[in-house]
């Protein structure tokens, strides 16, 4: 829970995922995000002019989950794709996730303390996504496989 306008509320998260020719990885990444126990999020996928099957794969996910939105743009690079995602985001927090290499089996959700992760969570492989609630106000995304941050704290 976080304090917004003097009320304790569950935070909403906007996940911005730029995508360019990621058909090889995008399904794994989307499945990993969908497996989170924290489900108060919107996933905004910005396709940056892909020429492979990325858009078709994302459309299948959109049809099954109304939290997922696809926005298509002509190729402008990942920075512009992220900016476009920010412009469409409605969450209390915004996270950026890359479309390639972030797949895996994530079975966790928001945690108040990284030291409370279960054995299964700490043994997750590289690319597994876990939302961490650091101090009651800041949320970050961590890759528990190698402990590298995937996003800047908002």
């Amino acid at each position: 829970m976080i304090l917004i306008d003097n009320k304790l509320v569950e935070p909403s998260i906007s996940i911005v995922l730029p995508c360019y020719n990621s058909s090889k990885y995008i399904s794994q990444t989307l499945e990993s995000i969908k497996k989170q126990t924290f489900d108060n999020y919107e996933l905004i996928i910005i396709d940056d002019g892909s020429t492979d099957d990325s858009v078709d794969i994302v459309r299948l996910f959109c049809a099954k989950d109304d939290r997922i939105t696809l926005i298509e743009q002509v190729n402008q690079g990942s920075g512009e794709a992220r900016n476009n995602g920010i412009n469409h985001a409605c969450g209390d927090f915004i996270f950026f996730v890359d479309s390639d290499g972030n797949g895996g089996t994530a079975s966790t959700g928001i945690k108040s303390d990284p030291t409370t992760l279960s054995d299964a969570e700490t043994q997750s492989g590289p690319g597994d996504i876990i939302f961490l609630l650091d101090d009651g106000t800041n949320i970050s995304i961590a890759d528990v496989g190698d402990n590298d941050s995937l996003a800047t704290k908002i």
Side-chain angles (χ1 to χ4, degrees):
M1 302 297 264
I2 61 171
L3 189 64
I4 297 179
D5 296 329
N6 293 321
K7 295 179 185 175
L8 281 177
V9 297
E10 182 177 68
S12 62
I13 298 173
S14 294
I15 303 168
V16 175
L17 193 155
C19 177
Y20 178 75
N21 288 344
S22 302
S23 62
K24 184 175 178 179
Y25 306 104
I26 193 71
S27 290
Q28 289 177 324
T29 301
L30 297 179
E31 287 295 340
S32 182
I33 292 169
K34 285 181 60 171
K35 288 180 182 178
Q36 296 296 313
T37 57
F38 181 80
D39 62 3
N40 192 19
Y41 67 85
E42 65 175 344
L43 175 56
I44 303 167
I45 301 166
I46 309 295
D47 182 75
D48 193 34
S50 292
T51 58
D52 65 359
D53 295 332
S54 297
V55 170
D56 294 330
I57 294 167
V58 171
R59 283 186 181 139
L60 291 173
F61 280 86
C62 289
K64 296 177 184 176
D65 191 331
D66 61 0
R67 297 173 298 179
I68 303 173
T69 302
L70 172 64
I71 298 170
E72 297 178 66
Q73 67 180 34
V74 296
N75 184 265
Q76 299 175 56
S78 62
E80 286 299 319
R82 285 184 183 96
N83 289 338
N84 196 357
I86 290 169
N87 290 335
H88 288 88
C90 297
D92 298 314
F93 298 92
I94 298 174
F95 295 105
F96 301 100
V97 176
D98 292 334
S99 61
D100 58 349
N102 288 334
T105 305
S107 59
T108 60
I110 287 183
K111 297 288 184 177
S112 60
D113 181 353
T115 62
T116 65
L117 297 175
S118 70
D119 288 342
E121 293 163 346
T122 58
Q123 294 174 13
S124 297
D128 293 347
I129 300 167
I130 294 180
F131 299 116
L132 299 173
L133 186 59
D134 293 332
D135 63 3
T137 57
N138 294 327
I139 298 176
S140 62
I141 296 179
D143 177 331
V144 296
D146 60 14
N147 293 322
D148 288 341
S149 176
L150 298 176
T152 302
K153 294 178 187 175
I154 303 298

